[in-house]
Amino acid sequence: MQTSLLHFPLLRPTAKQWRQKFMYQPQVGDRRHGCTIIFVTYNNISLNININIQDVISQKDEKKKMPQMINDIRSMMRSIGDGEISISAYDTAWVAIVKKMDGDSPQFPSSIRWIIQNQLSDGSWGDEAFFLVQDRMINTLACVIALKSWNIHEDEQEKGLSFIRENWWRLEDEELDDWMLGGFEIIFPRLLEMAVDLGLDVHCDEYALRDVFAKRDQKLARIPKDLLHNAHTSLLFSLEGMQDVDWKRILKLRCPDGSIMSCPASTAYALMQTGDNKCLEFLDGIIKKFNGGAPTFYPIDLFEHLWLVDRLVRLGISTYFTSEIKECLEYVYRYWSDKGLFCTSDVPFSDIDDTAMGFRLLRLHGYHVSPRALKQFEMDGEFFCFARESNKSLTCAYSLYRACQVAFPGEDDLQRAEIFSHQFLHDRRDSHNLKDKWLIPKDLSGEVGYALDMPWKASLPRIETRMYLEQYGGSNDVWIAKVLYRMYLINNDILLQAAKADFSSFQRMCRLELHGIKKWSKWKNLEMYGVSPKSVLQAYFLAASSIFEPNRATERLGWARTAVLAEAVSSHFRRTKGSTESSLLHALHEHISFLSFDDASSDNLCESWKQWIVTWTSRDCQGNAALLLVRAVEICSGRHGCLTDQKLDLYKYSWLEHLTSSICRKVCARAQDGQSTENAGDSNRQVDLQMKELARCVLKGDSGINEPTRHTFLHVVKSFYYVAHCSPETVDSHISKVMFEDVI
């Protein structure tokens, strides 16, 4: 068997000849195909992929729009500053109340103008597109108080009061607990007291507010007053709701920019009580920047940098913005430390959400970061966002769980965090309690479900993107703080439109390439050797879901064809007990010649096939099949011939090969034995440890092996893990979604 492979004469057509034969691209008006150029049978469903004149025109229009959308996004990224965030009527109202230090007139009259110009038609203030009664009530009451404090615009005051009186009853809704505004139980009672002092007739419904006051007392009892004055805690976000404050001590907790926790409302209250000039300077800068308005936080730079990169990656369009993403992450890395991150670089404070997101993105992009930054958020076996928080955030646990997926060996803190966050998310899903206190997205349940069902080690890039295109809400997603707010760059319809257009283009490319590889398989009569149309489809799907960039077609097709031929050889050997046929060997040698650029790469690939065939009857077969795919991709990319030119640590390269072979062999054996990836005992623990080591070797980037080559190993391993992890029905569903179902 081996002798036949080694001594069968190699055919050496030029790469150009073979690519012309196998990569035929139908042209518009090609009468051999008419309007319908591709016919695919998938799961007994016939799919006609039509390209008529209107389709071509539509595609050309889309191609014209795509560069403009990419340029628009690139321009937005290059103009990132301290954060593009919506204005908060609540914070603007607190600023509007501030008196001049040397008189009784408003310090910021432009804030009053903003309030008058932004009252909604129903008399309220707040987020116009999303109605949340807490948001409308707190914004409206604050704006009415601001106008009343200066005895101006009585008509606008009365409209606001009418809205408040008519909506008291809505505060009794028990579902509000899921979307409770940050600090609402502290600051809303304070606003009511201010309204009563000003003589405003708000018709307060004590029955409706009993829970709010009870939660205020509970929260204040949980955090000692000394802690408020001695350290940066979440209570400082609600400072305007506090009483009996020692302002001399509080001012020592100001941020370098003069703010109290970057919160305009808290800073305005501090200014009113102290006349502090640094607080005044901070507010003056905010009001000038936002033309009289004030956001609920500012600056919010780290949050914007991190979440924008996350959205671009998950939407599958990050490859268009490589340099911009690098600049974003370089900016974040400047502020990274073992103390973690917060949404803004100006606050000496941290939370688990920003820290976990920063850790994951920085590690995935090759930065050296330690999980020690997450240790501070652990207490009594649980992880929290803020110390002494009354209820835990779903999205914080989600960010933590995703961060733990990229653990390296020996990082026990991450292992504990993964166990906790996985259980927390699982419990919330089982109880159908999937609302979050920080974010109101389009489909958080879908995001959480995908994370739980498809761990990072089994998640292929194009599958995740296809799912996220249905989960991402664009500009409709709303964030929650003291009020509802919008992040215009993070939640942006242009991102969604560009991602959908890019994915639709990817699908068209897949259908054409699949058509070509099916023609090649038929031409080589591989079905005679046991290769079914479905196995060809799955082989291509795994390759395209991992290596999806348009300019990497050679690598993608090299992977797919290698997998198909390996299936042909395996199926044939199973039927014939190892005997060979010259036609199959002929196809194999043609394939090797097609992929190879020179004699060295041809010999290397031939040796890989030899090793695989030698071990075909053993359990090492699947491990060597994985190496076969790696070498095919590397040779097709042209990188394999450059290995000798790199400052390559051959031991580390061999170690990558060993890990790849071992992991793939184990997960395939586990699947063949009927064990799931979650219930395989010692084998599962061994694979998890090796996956962590593989992640370290690929992501740390200190081996001298170039990044694309390292990621080839990871792509191949994840594809094997994916097949072992998913049921055939799940794989079929993913194939349908990724390749055939239109993105709407």
Side-chain angles (χ1 to χ4, degrees), residues 306-307 329 332 336 341 353-363 369:
L306 285 170
W307 263 256
L329 294 179
V332 172
W336 177 265
L341 297 172
D353 201 15
D354 293 284
T355 302
M357 181 69 85
F359 173 82
R360 186 179 64 84
L361 289 177
L362 289 171
R363 173 161 283 189
V369 288

Side-chain angles (χ1 to χ4, degrees), residues 689-741:
L689 183 60
Q690 288 186 319
M691 281 297 300
K692 290 177 180 179
E693 175 62 13
L694 180 66
R696 185 192 68 79
C697 293
V698 171
L699 300 177
K700 206 166 182 181
D702 57 359
S703 61
I705 305 169
N706 64 46
E707 183 179 356
T709 297
R710 299 197 310 269
H711 276 85
T712 297
F713 284 97
L714 184 61
H715 286 321
V716 169
V717 170
K718 290 177 74 173
S719 73
F720 274 70
Y721 202 104
Y722 167 81
V723 173
H725 178 78
C726 296
S727 68
E729 294 76 18
T730 298
V731 174
D732 288 345
S733 172
H734 288 164
I735 291 174
S736 179
K737 271 192 170 295
V738 170
M739 294 183 60
F740 301 118
E741 294 179 22

